[in-house]
Amino acid sequence: MKLTRANVPLSTSKLQFHLPEIRLFTLKNGLNVFFIEKNTLPIIQMTLLVNAGSRFDPTKQHGLSYLTSLLLDEGAGEYSALELDNEIESLGSIFGISTDSDLTYLNMMTMNDKFQRSLELFSTIFYSPLFTDDDFEREKKKLLTNIVRKYDDPSFIASVNFKKQLFNDSTYAHSVLGNLKSVESISNSDVKQFYNDNFSPSNTHLVVVGNISQARLEENLNSYFSKSFLKPTMDNVISNPHPSNNRVFFIHKDSAAQSEIRVGHLTNKRTDPDYFSKIIMNSILGGQFSSRLNLNLREDKGFTYGVSSGFYYNREFGHFQISTSVQNENTGKAIEEINKEIYGIKESISDEEINFAKSYLIKRFPAMFETYSQIANNLSSLFHYSLDLEYFNNYISNINNCSKDDINNAAQNRIINDELKYVIVGDRKVVLPQLKSALNMDIVELDKFGIPIS
């Protein structure tokens, strides 16, 4: 029998996807737990989410949250850093810590039969980090070295300064890593105080996905997360950002072969009702490989290996951003084409584009829940953004229910041409004249740390 590929097979039915039941319960010490029982593999994934991200860094001590996270597993309880690592490795478990602007995440993946011992070590790291002076000095030096290395990377320089210009005087304006001056000022006593002020069950949520019954999970969690010390948390008041009136910012990178381009502005929150119409519209603009931006700048013009756009969120605010890198000599033309596509999506969006974008978003959705870590990450977003427990079960219907008018309104109202800010990192001799021609606006030159050059 000869197989013919002339005709594309038709879909037989609409995609149906339902996440397993999300259970929410509270431990005796007040720690809230999101739980999904998943028995396909003998694995359990745990994620502790602590309200201790960089937004809580004290003034002039940016990077304190990140440095604290680096030290959490550098020895805890009766174990040195090396001993703790050996204990975790001997179980075949995987432990990691990360920090963003809102949260610090403690992650552990373990086999079902090693769960109890892994949980014991997990709770020890949370409750009893050692914070020795030697570990502090070592990790602080590593962080300072990392900051120096990052500020030699044009992509990092562009992204961190774009964020700084958008959020300006808000605590969200600062890099999670901090800067050389702020990190130099941090002492080990500052780390200990930050931990004491923030790392408490009352300031934390736990996400668990895995091959375990709820009864066994609750029993073990109540055993190892029994301490209920309630501690004062640091000031949670976030000032509203006040972006400057300037719109174009240039940072010189000597002998750079490429320009890094960031374009965008502040937008509404993650919980606002037009979220789904925005992601459909953005999928058409720059959210997938066949988007208008990518087909123009990559496929047609050959300016870049890739360009993307998106709506990005922290707990309090959102922003729209377009990102790409192009050869220096094409910087001005690339910005002109970006602006052309922004204007274009406001003028018209076809039914065909909308149907394709909806299909893309719906068909990729189940793939976001294939692994235990993916499920835990998605559950974490429910807490991070205060979303409804039925959010994921309603996701496909919310996409399907967006009308063409909704999507057009998102293009008209959530991308505002007069508020767009441009941050470009590149070679001054080649790029600066192009910016003056392409944008016809005043250009503010910054150093790589975002300080204006007079």
Side-chain angles (χ1 to χ4, degrees):
M1 180 179 176
K2 186 177 180 181
L3 179 65
T4 176
R5 300 183 185 275
N7 298 318
V8 178
L10 298 176
S11 176
T12 57
S13 62
K14 289 185 178 180
L15 177 65
Q16 298 293 326
F17 175 79
H18 294 282
L19 192 66
E21 179 189 1
I22 302 172
R23 305 173 196 172
L24 178 61
F25 59 88
T26 304
L27 302 184
K28 294 175 182 178
N29 67 351
L31 178 64
N32 291 316
V33 182
F34 291 90
F35 171 55
I36 284 183
E37 186 172 352
K38 180 176 172 64
N39 298 321
T40 52
L41 294 171
I43 293 173
I44 299 170
Q45 169 73 44
M46 299 177 286
T47 301
L48 273 167
L49 304 105
V50 189
N51 286 303
S54 62
R55 63 182 271 189
F56 298 99
D57 289 343
T59 303
K60 298 183 180 180
Q61 287 192 323
H62 305 300
L64 178 56
S65 168
Y66 186 78
L67 183 54
T68 303
S69 73
L70 294 178
L71 284 159
L72 283 173
D73 62 340
E74 293 298 311
E78 62 185 276
Y79 306 104
S80 67
L82 181 59
E83 290 169 338
L84 184 61
D85 187 62
N86 287 339
E87 287 291 323
I88 294 172
E89 187 176 347
S90 70
L91 298 169
S93 299
I94 301 172
F95 179 80
I97 303 175
S98 61
T99 303
D100 64 21
S101 56
D102 290 314
L103 299 167
T104 293
Y105 305 80
L106 285 71
N107 297 286
M108 179 170 274
M109 178 179 285
T110 181
M111 302 298 289
N112 178 288
D113 60 345
K114 306 295 184 183
F115 172 67
Q116 190 166 337
R117 175 59 175 153
S118 296
L119 180 61
E120 181 182 7
L121 294 172
F122 194 48
S123 64
T124 299
I125 293 169
F126 177 74
Y127 280 119
S128 306
L130 296 179
F131 296 130
T132 68
D133 289 340
D134 287 345
D135 291 333
F136 168 78
E137 292 298 335
R138 183 183 65 253
E139 293 302 316
K140 179 176 175 177
K141 288 178 181 177
K142 286 167 61 176
L143 176 54
L144 289 168
T145 301
N146 190 27
I147 291 171
V148 171
R149 180 178 60 83
K150 285 287 190 181
Y151 274 99
D152 195 45
D153 176 8
S155 178
F156 177 85
I157 294 170
S159 294
V160 75
N161 279 287
F162 180 73
K163 183 179 178 182
K164 184 174 183 178
Q165 294 305 323
L166 288 192
F167 291 101
N168 199 11
D169 50 0
S170 166
T171 55
Y172 284 117
H174 306 286
S175 167
V176 173
L177 299 180
N179 57 66
L180 292 175
K181 184 177 180 180
S182 66
V183 173
E184 283 282 11
S185 73
I186 297 172
S187 68
N188 199 15
S189 61
D190 295 323
V191 169
K192 293 175 182 177
Q193 187 64 52
F194 186 86
Y195 169 81
N196 288 331
D197 285 340
N198 290 280
F199 283 74
S200 166
S202 64
N203 198 40
T204 303
H205 280 63
L206 175 63
V207 171
V208 181
V209 179
N211 192 337
I212 187 171
S213 68
Q214 182 173 336
R216 181 188 168 208
L217 177 63
E218 286 196 54
E219 179 183 359
N220 280 276
L221 289 176
N222 277 314
S223 294
Y224 292 104
F225 280 88
S226 58
K227 296 180 184 178
S228 58
F229 50 93
L230 301 179
K231 303 175 182 179
T233 58
M234 299 183 75
D235 187 4
N236 196 29
V237 177
I238 299 296
S239 60
N240 289 325
H242 297 94
S244 67
N245 291 327
N246 297 309
R247 293 180 54 195
V248 185
F249 302 88
F250 176 75
I251 300 166
H252 173 63
K253 178 65 175 172
D254 192 41
S255 301
Q258 290 186 313
S259 294
E260 290 287 340
I261 300 172
R262 305 292 183 269
V263 181
H265 57 61
L266 294 177
T267 186
N268 54 348
K269 293 180 65 171
R270 173 66 178 80
T271 51
D272 284 347
D274 64 353
Y275 171 78
F276 290 96
S277 56
K278 284 190 299 184
I279 64 171
I280 295 170
M281 180 273 294
N282 179 71
S283 179
I284 297 166
L285 176 63
Q288 57 178 314
F289 185 82
S290 60
S291 67
R292 293 185 182 185
L293 281 168
N294 207 51
L295 290 178
N296 182 338
L297 272 70
R298 174 191 161 103
E299 300 300 303
D300 183 28
K301 304 296 189 305
F303 290 161
T304 179
Y305 286 113
V307 56
S308 64
S309 67
F311 289 89
Y312 303 94
Y313 301 93
N314 51 52
R315 182 170 286 162
E316 303 296 334
F317 308 106
H319 72 276
F320 169 71
Q321 179 176 323
I322 297 173
S323 304
T324 191
S325 58
V326 302
Q327 288 186 317
N328 278 324
E329 58 267 26
N330 294 323
T331 305
K333 294 177 182 178
I335 291 173
E336 289 173 352
E337 294 301 321
I338 288 170
N339 288 335
K340 172 185 169 184
E341 296 299 343
I342 291 173
Y343 279 101
I345 200 145
K346 290 172 171 289
E347 292 176 354
S348 66
I349 301 175
S350 70
D351 292 337
E352 182 181 9
E353 287 178 307
I354 291 172
N355 292 334
F356 186 87
K358 286 185 176 183
S359 176
Y360 163 76
L361 293 167
I362 290 170
K363 289 178 179 177
R364 75 167 188 165
F365 180 65
M368 296 165 57
F369 298 88
E370 291 180 340
T371 70
Y372 287 70
S373 295
Q374 284 176 320
I375 296 173
N377 288 338
N378 280 299
L379 283 186
S380 298
S381 70
L382 298 181
F383 165 68
H384 192 173
Y385 303 116
S386 302
L387 303 176
D388 188 272
L389 288 181
E390 290 298 312
Y391 169 80
F392 293 113
N393 286 330
N394 295 331
Y395 182 94
I396 292 175
S397 62
N398 282 327
I399 291 290
N400 280 323
N401 290 339
C402 285
S403 68
K404 187 173 184 177
D405 284 344
D406 294 332
I407 297 163
N408 279 322
N409 286 337
Q412 295 293 332
N413 301 324
R414 298 308 178 195
I415 304 178
I416 305 171
N417 300 67
D418 292 341
E419 294 184 7
L420 289 170
K421 292 189 180 295
Y422 303 79
V423 173
I424 298 94
V425 178
D427 190 308
R428 181 186 289 108
K429 296 190 298 292
V430 182
V431 174
L432 209 53
Q434 297 178 58
L435 298 183
K436 293 175 181 177
S437 173
L439 291 171
N440 193 29
M441 287 186 276
D442 292 337
I443 300 172
V444 178
E445 289 198 58
L446 309 172
D447 67 15
K448 63 184 179 181
F449 302 110
I451 299 172
I453 298 173
S454 55

